[in-house]
Structures are given as structure tokens and as C-alpha cells.
Amino acid sequence: MKLNLNRRQMLSLAAGGAALVATGAANTVQAQVATKARIVIIGAGAGGTALANRLVARLDGAEITLIDPRVDHLYQPGLSLVAAGLKPANYVVSRTTDWLPKGVTLVAEAAAAIDPVAKTVSTASGQSIGYDFLVVAPGLVLDHDAIEGFSLDMVGQNGIGALYAGPQYAAATWKAAQAYTETGGVGLFTRPATEMKCAGAPLKHTFLIEDIARTAGTRGKLDVHYMANNDSLFGVPIVSEKVRMLFGDRGITPEYSHVLKSLDAGAKTATFDTPTGPVTHEYDYIHVIPPQRAPEVIRQSGLNWADKWTDQGWVECDKATLRHLRYDTIWALGDVAGVPKGKTAASVKWQVPVVEDGLVAAIEGRDPTETYNGYTSCPMITRVGRAMLIEFDYNNNLTPSFPGIIAPLEELWISWLMKEVALKATYNAMLRGRA
């Protein structure tokens, strides 16, 4: 379906979409529940902060404690824009405390241990904090050490990028990527074999750098390769096929089942594990995304799955309720949750009300009513000014928010605008507990 809208109408749609998404969950005012429950949330990222805001509004008398040492809060969906020179590094940075509500105690330390039997969390300084209910939302760990020969101080130099590591590294990535678009050569865009946050990010970076070179008139100098971790380009088959077709149109070569193992920065070579053994490629630019795992405290506390994702340590939980399967006073939220989908900020938006409902139901002694269906959203940027608004669930069904208006597999300016206008506004509303 083709949109017959002028620019002003499309801007209005994007702004209206932002308002709809941002306020959709806040229109129903629920009565406060009186309780003296001690609720501990590990992690003040998107999930932990959003949940804390909602619980303060929902509960009367609860003792809510957030445990997180990070001074800065990062708007992680913006890192791919910083790494393409489209936003400054400070676009993604705010202060953790700016988003926290009154009535929440922040313990600015890392969680060092969790005892799910004694119901305590120990911090890095040795403080022990008791809880009645616990939510683990610490995010994940980027395992850069798993790439032999690589260290973060290399980013921005000698053709090496790594946007995931933070705003300064995303900005340094643009420095290296911009040089590549000017001088050309072989570009290798990698993706780890582990589960990862925003699995579309490696594709976005590939598309954006290729498009920037094309616009600059230097595309003929580039030999672009996307190093897929398996025999697919995306976890949803219909989206994978669409990306394959776009790669064909754009002259991007997919290299299937190539998982980055090591770098030789001096020789500008990268070695990949493949089904037939290690393969070494030369490069002029390489974008490194390392394996991603749960923080060690999860594994040490025995909260992780024992029979799957054993190398990654994600929290064992019911995929619909996010409640731990062995400890019924614990919920997982966000990247650390051991569920088949859901490592995006958009997923967190739909997970938070489920965890909130589960906690309140437990306090009230009733069964929860909210469930999470695996909703994940990826504004798949394919060019500067064009994107596909891809949304899907656990079953790989496409679940568009604007059916008949925004086609999920079409490269549209309005989908780009949704990311530029709606996404950050929605994210900020979510942090405040209003989405």
C-alpha cells in the first residue's frame, strides 16, 4: 500500500504515533495497593527505571531499592546513529538519577551476589540488602575479551569500529567508518554467535555506511561484506529474505556462518570460525560486535538456565510471565531474561507492565493477568532517511502497530521518522513509567 500523504501529514503521523505509544499504557489509572513489601531491583537501565517509576505510582508504602553503580544512563537505540555520524555522542547520555522517582532508594554499587533462599542481595562493598520480591534487570555484558587480539583502545584506529561499547566508542567508530567511506577497501561487518541486544544493529551499521559512501560518490571503492553468525541474516525468516534481497540490490556480500574469533590489528586481518574451520580475511574496516552474556552475578547465584544458553547465563524464567521458574519471588526483565526474543528497548516497554502485574498480584495474593508474547521491534535503518519498521513476536509473526499505514517490509521515510521523532520520546516516557 502506498502512502498518499504530504510531508506535514507524515510528520503528524509520526508525532501522533509517538503520543499513542507513549501514553497507551498510562491512560488507565489504577488504585494504589497498600503494602510494606521490600522490593529490590538490580539494574537502573531502561527496564529497572521504568519499573521503579510504575511501582512508586502503583504501591503505597512499599520499600523500593534500586541497585546500580552507573552514573550515566545510556539511550542505547541511539548508538547506531552516533556511529554513522548522524548524532553526537551526548545524544545518548543522561544521568541515572534524572529518571528516578521520589520514594526509591538508589544504592550506587554493583550487585555482587544474590541468595534466592535467604532473599538477600550483597553489594560490592559487602552491604546485604533483604527483599521480599526481587527483579533482576542488570542488562548484559559485552565480552570483548573473547575476541583474541582486540581491545577497546583500538576503536577508531586502523579501521576498527565497535559501536556497542558506549557513546565515546560509537563516536570513534564513526571516525574509522568515515575514513573507510572515503578511502574504500574491504569492510567486514560482524555479528556474534550469542544472543544479543538489538540484533538489527549490525545490519543497520552495514546499511548506513554503505549508503553514506554511495551518497558521497565513493561506493565503487568499497567491497562490503556482512559476516552472518549462521545461515540466516535475521532471526525472522521473512525479514532475513528481505535483507538478502536488499544486500543483492546494494552489492553487499553475505558471508554465512562466519563468527569472529581474533584480530591482528597490525596486519589488518580477522580470523573467523566457520563450519569448515578457521578462515582469515583481510580488511580495511571491521566492525566488531563481541559475544554478549549475562553478568557473572547471575550465574554465580544459580539463577541462570542449566540446560540452555549455558555459555551465556541468561536468567531462567517463564517466557510469558518473566517469573523465575524455581524462585517465585524473582522476576527477570530486559536483556538478562532467558527468553527466545526480547533484547530491545521496545521489548522492555511491553515486559515492564507484565512484571509490574506479577509483583502486584503476588502482593495481593492473586494470579497475574498480564503476559508477554515476545514483542520485539527493530526500526531497521536501510539508508539515511529510510527504514523498515519491523515488529514481531515469539512465533516470528509480524505484528505491525500501524497495519495498512506503515508496511513493515518497505523502506519508508515515515519509518525513519518514527525512529527520529517517536522512538526517543517513547523511550523517555517509558522511563518515567508512562508507557
Side-chain angles (χ1 to χ4, degrees), residues 222-237:
L222 275 59
D223 183 10
V224 182
H225 296 253
Y226 181 79
M227 320 305 282
N229 65 303
N230 54 26
D231 60 359
S232 174
L233 297 174
F234 197 79
V236 179

Side-chain angles (χ1 to χ4, degrees), residues 140-218:
L140 52 73
V141 173
L142 302 171
D143 190 2
H144 291 105
D145 291 341
I147 309 298
E148 299 171 27
F150 174 76
S151 62
L152 285 174
D153 59 7
M154 297 176 176
V155 178
Q157 306 174 52
N158 299 314
I160 297 176
L163 72 83
Y164 266 83
Q168 70 271 38
Y169 297 107
T173 294
W174 170 235
K175 177 182 175 183
Q178 184 180 34
Y180 171 60
T181 65
E182 295 169 353
T183 60
V186 176
L188 306 180
F189 295 78
T190 73
R191 191 249 192 247
T194 60
E195 299 292 322
M196 61 179 292
K197 63 174 73 187
C198 190
L203 295 166
K204 295 176 194 178
H205 190 60
T206 309
F207 279 129
L208 279 169
I209 299 309
E210 190 275 342
D211 184 58
I212 289 168
R214 188 177 296 275
T215 301
T218 59

Side-chain angles (χ1 to χ4, degrees), residues 5-22:
L5 301 176
N6 61 35
R7 187 178 181 89
R8 177 174 293 180
Q9 288 171 319
M10 295 180 85
L11 283 166
S12 297
L13 175 61
L20 174 66
V21 178

Side-chain angles (χ1 to χ4, degrees), residues 31-40 51 54-56 58-64 131-135 323 328-331 354-368:
Q32 282 198 318
V33 175
T35 179
K36 297 297 183 183
R38 299 170 301 163
I39 300 171
V40 172
L51 180 65
R54 291 176 70 96
L55 290 177
V56 164
R58 189 78 186 278
L59 301 175
D60 178 18
E63 181 182 316
I64 302 172
Y131 66 83
D132 298 305
F133 302 102
L134 174 67
V135 179
R323 197 173 195 170
D328 64 6
T329 59
I330 298 177
W331 284 260
V354 173
V355 175
E356 174 196 359
D357 179 65
L359 274 167
V360 174
I363 290 170
E364 294 183 317
R366 61 172 174 83
D367 292 331

Side-chain angles (χ1 to χ4, degrees), residues 7-321:
R7 187 178 181 89
R8 177 174 293 180
Q9 288 171 319
M10 295 180 85
L11 283 166
S12 297
L13 175 61
L20 174 66
V21 178
T23 62
N27 289 332
T28 302
V29 177
Q30 295 177 296
Q32 282 198 318
V33 175
T35 179
K36 297 297 183 183
R38 299 170 301 163
I39 300 171
V40 172
I41 303 170
I42 298 176
T49 297
L51 180 65
N53 274 286
R54 291 176 70 96
L55 290 177
V56 164
R58 189 78 186 278
L59 301 175
D60 178 18
E63 181 182 316
I64 302 172
T65 303
L66 263 173
I67 302 175
D68 197 311
R70 292 171 291 185
V71 173
D72 291 334
H73 181 96
L74 298 184
Y75 171 60
Q76 295 182 64
L79 290 173
S80 58
L81 299 177
V82 176
L86 301 173
K87 296 290 184 183
N90 62 9
Y91 173 73
V92 303
V93 182
S94 58
R95 294 185 65 83
T96 296
T97 52
D98 289 346
W99 303 103
L100 300 184
K102 293 180 180 179
V104 167
T105 300
L106 174 64
V107 178
E109 298 184 51
I114 304 166
D115 187 332
V117 176
K119 296 184 180 179
T120 60
V121 178
S122 299
T123 68
S125 71
Q127 182 180 176
S128 181
I129 301 171
Y131 66 83
D132 298 305
F133 302 102
L134 174 67
V135 179
V136 285
L140 52 73
V141 173
L142 302 171
D143 190 2
H144 291 105
D145 291 341
I147 309 298
E148 299 171 27
F150 174 76
S151 62
L152 285 174
D153 59 7
M154 297 176 176
V155 178
Q157 306 174 52
N158 299 314
I160 297 176
L163 72 83
Y164 266 83
Q168 70 271 38
Y169 297 107
T173 294
W174 170 235
K175 177 182 175 183
Q178 184 180 34
Y180 171 60
T181 65
E182 295 169 353
T183 60
V186 176
L188 306 180
F189 295 78
T190 73
R191 191 249 192 247
T194 60
E195 299 292 322
M196 61 179 292
K197 63 174 73 187
C198 190
L203 295 166
K204 295 176 194 178
H205 190 60
T206 309
F207 279 129
L208 279 169
I209 299 309
E210 190 275 342
D211 184 58
I212 289 168
R214 188 177 296 275
T215 301
T218 59
R219 177 62 179 90
K221 298 180 180 181
L222 275 59
D223 183 10
V224 182
H225 296 253
Y226 181 79
M227 320 305 282
N229 65 303
N230 54 26
D231 60 359
S232 174
L233 297 174
F234 197 79
V236 179
I238 192 172
V239 179
S240 178
E241 177 60 16
K242 176 66 176 183
V243 171
R244 187 194 66 78
M245 293 170 64
L246 291 174
F247 275 6
D249 293 341
R250 304 270 287 271
I252 298 171
T253 303
E255 305 283 358
Y256 294 101
S257 299
H258 276 62
V259 177
L260 183 62
K261 177 183 179 182
S262 63
L263 285 183
D264 185 331
K268 281 198 167 183
T269 60
T271 299
F272 295 82
D273 284 329
T274 77
T276 58
V279 173
T280 298
H281 292 268
E282 295 181 344
Y283 66 84
D284 295 282
Y285 175 72
I286 185 169
H287 184 248
V288 177
I289 299 181
Q292 300 177 23
R293 314 186 194 284
E296 189 60 27
V297 64
I298 301 299
R299 196 189 309 269
Q300 289 179 348
S301 302
L303 299 181
N304 56 296
W305 286 97
D307 58 350
K308 53 186 173 182
W309 298 305
T310 54
D311 62 326
Q312 297 163 58
W314 311 119
V315 175
E316 177 186 0
C317 62
D318 181 273
K319 70 177 186 178
T321 66

